[in-house]
Amino acid sequence: MNTDTIFSRLIVTRSEPAAQGIQLFEFRHPEGAALPPATPGAHIKVKTPSGHTRQYSLCNAPDETDRYVIAVKREAQGRGGSMSMVDQLKVGDTVEVGGVENLFELDERARSFILVAGGIGITPVLAMARTLLAEGERKFKLYYLTRDPESTAFLDEIKNSDLKSHVVIHHDRGDPSNSYDLWPALEKPGTLTGQHVYCCGPRGLMDAVRDMTGHWPSSTVHFESFGGDTKIHADDQAFTVRLAKSGMDLEIPVGRSILEVAREHGIHAASSCESGTCGTCKTALLEGEADHRDMVLLDEEKSSHIMICVSRAKAGRLVIDL
């Protein structure tokens, strides 16, 4: 998140389970005022009770300006943001919310869509499906892939709505051999038909879709991730970062990011997603070996750059260009 982001206080008007381990939240303006409009695939930044800022996709219909609806998966091995949302945030509480942004826009040139959602990746994709259904002009098919019915958010809502005929829901039961075969849908690139692919979900799914669409024009395949590797590893250790421009040394504890600690010390660094997916916080790495946990850097960049929102030191000290 850029430190210049303007936050508004909204009130939690709804909090309920959306599925096992997933909590749905509804936010409204405390005085009933209209909220800034969104487009399908948009997200908001939320200051969680833990103090971390996290990015959540809006899953309600984008034309609704009276509320924002998000779904939060409780990540027990994460850095605490999602856990504090699910465990602490109650109806009637206020929460600081940043402006609407969209890095996952529906392409206006597309004439039809293949939408692929894995797990909690359904949130932006559901908003897209709702919009396309309401428009009624462009064809789409949504493939919603989850572990089991209990952990499938919005399952009943999808099954009992007009979306049903547009959606394929598959549960793999945690068995990789039972994964859904997307190849028949992706085998033929949509060059002539104006078809685009949108995929949101865990790294494994995104990598698989990326491999299966390698023969598609790159401009017709779009990805949105819910983050790089933000979990705390069992072997994580505190490390030191030297900021080359200021000469300041920062101690980065387990469970905190370079970005967070730098911000606390008054160091401004551009950022956005804070989950290793957007590339905004890319910083030159001058010395040391990084433990890269992002989803952005190319292999040839990893010796000279680091995403300071998620990545850490493999050993010893890092020196970065801040």
Side-chain angles (χ1 to χ4, degrees), residues 78-269:
R79 298 202 299 241
S82 68
M83 286 193 295
S84 71
M85 290 282 286
V86 175
D87 296 348
Q88 300 178 37
L89 204 58
K90 309 298 180 187
V91 172
D93 291 346
T94 58
V95 62
E96 290 188 71
V97 175
V100 176
E101 300 179 49
N102 199 337
L103 305 175
F104 197 45
E105 291 266 14
L106 283 176
D107 195 316
E108 292 299 323
R109 297 168 298 178
R111 298 196 294 274
S112 66
F113 299 85
I114 295 173
L115 309 176
V116 182
I120 194 63
I122 188 62
T123 48
V125 177
L126 184 58
M128 292 177 170
R130 284 173 169 153
T131 297
L132 292 170
L133 182 67
E135 288 178 356
E137 298 175 357
R138 296 185 286 178
K139 294 181 179 180
F140 70 96
K141 194 73 175 182
L142 165 56
Y143 297 89
Y144 185 14
L145 314 179
T146 70
R147 183 184 181 90
D148 49 51
E150 294 76 22
S151 60
T152 303
F154 309 108
L155 181 59
D156 290 340
E157 181 178 340
I158 291 172
K159 286 184 173 181
N160 297 316
S161 73
D162 291 338
L163 283 171
K164 181 179 179 180
S165 61
H166 299 269
V167 182
V168 173
I169 300 175
H170 178 78
H171 312 300
D172 63 17
R173 302 289 179 178
D175 180 2
S177 67
N178 191 35
S179 297
Y180 188 83
D181 184 10
L182 288 166
W183 179 245
L186 301 173
E187 181 179 7
K188 295 181 180 179
T191 309
L192 298 178
T193 61
Q195 192 170 58
H196 283 226
V197 176
Y198 283 78
C199 177
C200 183
R203 183 190 291 261
L205 174 63
M206 294 179 65
D207 287 346
V209 171
R210 188 173 281 110
D211 288 343
M212 284 186 276
T213 55
H215 57 301
W216 287 60
S218 59
S219 62
T220 65
V221 185
H222 315 265
F223 295 95
E224 171 85 323
S225 169
F226 276 88
D229 185 358
T230 60
K231 295 181 174 61
I232 298 174
H233 294 198
D235 58 351
D236 278 354
Q237 297 181 359
F239 63 97
T240 301
V241 169
R242 164 66 62 92
L243 307 184
K245 291 179 179 177
S246 66
M248 184 184 298
D249 286 329
L250 301 179
E251 187 74 11
I252 314 299
V254 173
R256 304 295 306 284
S257 69
I258 299 171
L259 176 65
E260 290 170 336
V261 176
R263 185 183 295 148
E264 289 178 354
H265 286 77
I267 304 299
H268 176 86

Side-chain angles (χ1 to χ4, degrees), residues 235-239 288-293 306 311-318:
D235 58 351
D236 278 354
Q237 297 181 359
F239 63 97
E289 187 177 7
D291 178 7
H292 295 289
R293 302 184 181 183
I306 184 173
S311 297
R312 303 180 65 80
K314 279 193 174 179
R317 185 184 73 163
L318 300 179

Side-chain angles (χ1 to χ4, degrees), residues 10-19 22-29 59-61 64 66-72 85-86 88-95 126 130 153-154 156-157:
L10 302 182
I11 188 168
V12 180
T13 52
R14 185 179 167 199
S15 173
E16 61 188 45
I22 300 174
Q23 192 77 359
L24 181 145
F25 293 99
E26 178 184 86
F27 305 142
R28 295 179 184 264
H29 192 282
C59 52
N60 56 310
E64 296 178 343
D66 59 331
R67 64 175 187 157
Y68 292 147
V69 178
I70 64 171
V72 179
M85 290 282 286
V86 175
Q88 300 178 37
L89 204 58
K90 309 298 180 187
V91 172
D93 291 346
T94 58
V95 62
L126 184 58
R130 284 173 169 153
F154 309 108
D156 290 340
E157 181 178 340

Side-chain angles (χ1 to χ4, degrees), residues 287-300:
E287 293 181 26
E289 187 177 7
D291 178 7
H292 295 289
R293 302 184 181 183
D294 65 277
M295 298 183 69
V296 178
L297 288 178
L298 301 175
D299 287 342
E300 56 266 31

